[in-house]
Amino acid sequence: MTTLDEKNQHRLVRERFTRTAEVFGDFATATRARSAELLARMVGAKGSDCAVDLACGPGTLALRFARHVRWICGLDLTPAILARARRSAQTEGLANLDFALGDAQALPFADGSLDIAVTSYSLHHMPDAARVVDEMARAVKRGGRVGVIDIVASEDAKTAALSNRIERMRDPSHTRTLPKSELQAIFAANGLRILAEEEHEQDRAFTHWMHVAGWKPGDREFDETRRLMEATMAEDSAGFHPRFVAADAKEDEDAPEIHIINTVLFLAAEKI
Ligand SMILES: C[S@@+](CC[C@H](N)C(=O)[O-])C[C@H]1O[C@@H](n2cnc3c(N)ncnc32)[C@H](O)[C@@H]1O
């Protein structure tokens, strides 16, 4: 991406996560606490560690990691979602936690100055996901740990391309979901030795998936994303495994609910 493209990408990210700071913040903090705890175990978070949570959003990882490490910084590009994260830290009485405005592609930390760098559900919003992992690997010391949680795309390029098209219709700040093999290769290229890896399938109701992106039925983005998703149903051509779920249908609604599957990868590694 050129500098101009990156600026535009940052604008799209801020627009999306300012517009949905509360609805997305509620969703992420309520549903991702267990994932944060799992990642903390996978990277072996402990009381002497200093850590960073990149693209922390409402503090999804940082608020949980603060209970395990000495200090953690949550870094994000969107002021509105950082304000929400700070509010939560205050409500929860967490004092070993700071939040800062910044770009995950250019971390404000010296080489080897941290023990842990983590990020969740963020790489698919980055202009260059490899650069983010590169920064995480740079900022941690030898023996330090890097942890990532993110959705992954199919290894089949055509299926992945269609999935990314649907994601971008839902959320213009979506750049690209990586396939697992690409993420593993990026880790290896940065001298990161995999310590643990898990893949989880998350069932999402389409209407709620759109709700946390800020859209409702009748919005152009909602209706067009649904049309694209329905078109993939017969062959599962985007890899979302979409299906109608009759039990969710309401009498006064024409369209039955669709459920989809998000495949989520948890990756923990050590810098060698
Ligand atoms: C889908 S949210 C994930 C938030 C949180 N990590 C979670 O798991 O709930 C993506 C977040 O990435 C942030 N973001 C996107 N691009 C970024 C960048 N280049 N640098 C820092 N933050 C970024 C957005 O502002 C948003 O808060």
Side-chain angles (χ1 to χ4, degrees), residues 9-10 13-14 16-17 24 28 32 53-58 60-61 75-78 81 102-105 119-122 124-127:
Q9 174 58 19
H10 287 181
V13 162
R14 287 202 175 111
R16 152 79 208 271
F17 289 100
F24 174 77
R32 294 178 175 166
D53 172 13
L54 311 180
C56 64
T60 309
L61 297 180
L75 187 93
D76 202 281
L77 204 58
T78 307
I81 208 144
D103 183 355
Q105 297 195 151
T119 190
S120 58
Y121 298 95
S122 71
H124 62 269
H125 291 285
M126 299 296 165

Side-chain angles (χ1 to χ4, degrees), residues 22-225:
E22 293 307 320
V23 68
F24 174 77
D26 288 348
F27 162 74
T29 44
T31 62
R32 294 178 175 166
R34 274 174 56 194
S35 295
E37 292 292 347
L38 171 59
L39 192 68
R41 285 197 298 280
M42 289 171 74
V43 298
K46 57 183 188 301
S48 56
D49 288 333
C50 288
V52 63
D53 172 13
L54 311 180
C56 64
T60 309
L61 297 180
L63 292 166
R64 307 307 309 176
F65 270 67
R67 291 157 164 91
H68 303 285
V69 299
R70 180 151 68 90
W71 175 80
I72 184 160
C73 174
L75 187 93
D76 202 281
L77 204 58
T78 307
I81 208 144
L82 278 176
R84 193 203 146 96
R86 287 193 183 101
R87 240 175 32 231
S88 297
Q90 205 168 24
T91 306
E92 295 180 32
L94 296 167
N96 61 336
L97 173 54
D98 288 307
F99 290 102
L101 194 64
D103 183 355
Q105 297 195 151
L107 294 184
F109 297 103
D111 296 3
S113 58
L114 296 172
D115 302 288
I116 294 177
V118 286
T119 190
S120 58
Y121 298 95
S122 71
L123 295 181
H124 62 269
H125 291 285
M126 299 296 165
D128 184 354
R131 210 162 103 200
V132 176
V133 178
D134 188 64
E135 276 292 87
M136 295 169 93
R138 178 190 66 72
V140 299
K141 55 188 67 152
R142 229 169 254 272
R145 283 88 68 214
V146 168
V148 168
I149 304 175
D150 206 2
I151 47 173
V152 283
S154 167
E155 297 290 332
D156 175 67
K158 215 169 137 196
T159 308
L162 190 48
S163 127
N164 280 308
R165 183 169 166 223
I166 292 173
E167 291 275 11
R168 279 193 291 271
M169 176 50 67
R170 170 184 180 252
D171 176 359
S173 76
H174 181 99
T175 50
R176 186 168 70 91
T177 313
L178 272 53
K180 179 164 101 172
S181 59
E182 189 174 336
L183 196 52
Q184 288 168 328
I186 292 171
F187 268 55
N190 280 288
L192 296 171
R193 186 178 64 85
I194 304 292
L195 294 170
E197 183 182 313
E198 288 194 21
E199 208 171 287
H200 295 194
E201 293 206 330
Q202 293 176 354
D203 184 278
R204 305 283 304 265
F206 180 85
T207 305
H208 187 260
W209 186 57
M210 295 304 292
H211 173 67
V212 299
W215 311 123
K216 58 182 187 319
D219 292 339
R220 186 188 71 85
E221 292 82 356
F222 185 104
D223 296 346
E224 185 58 12
T225 307

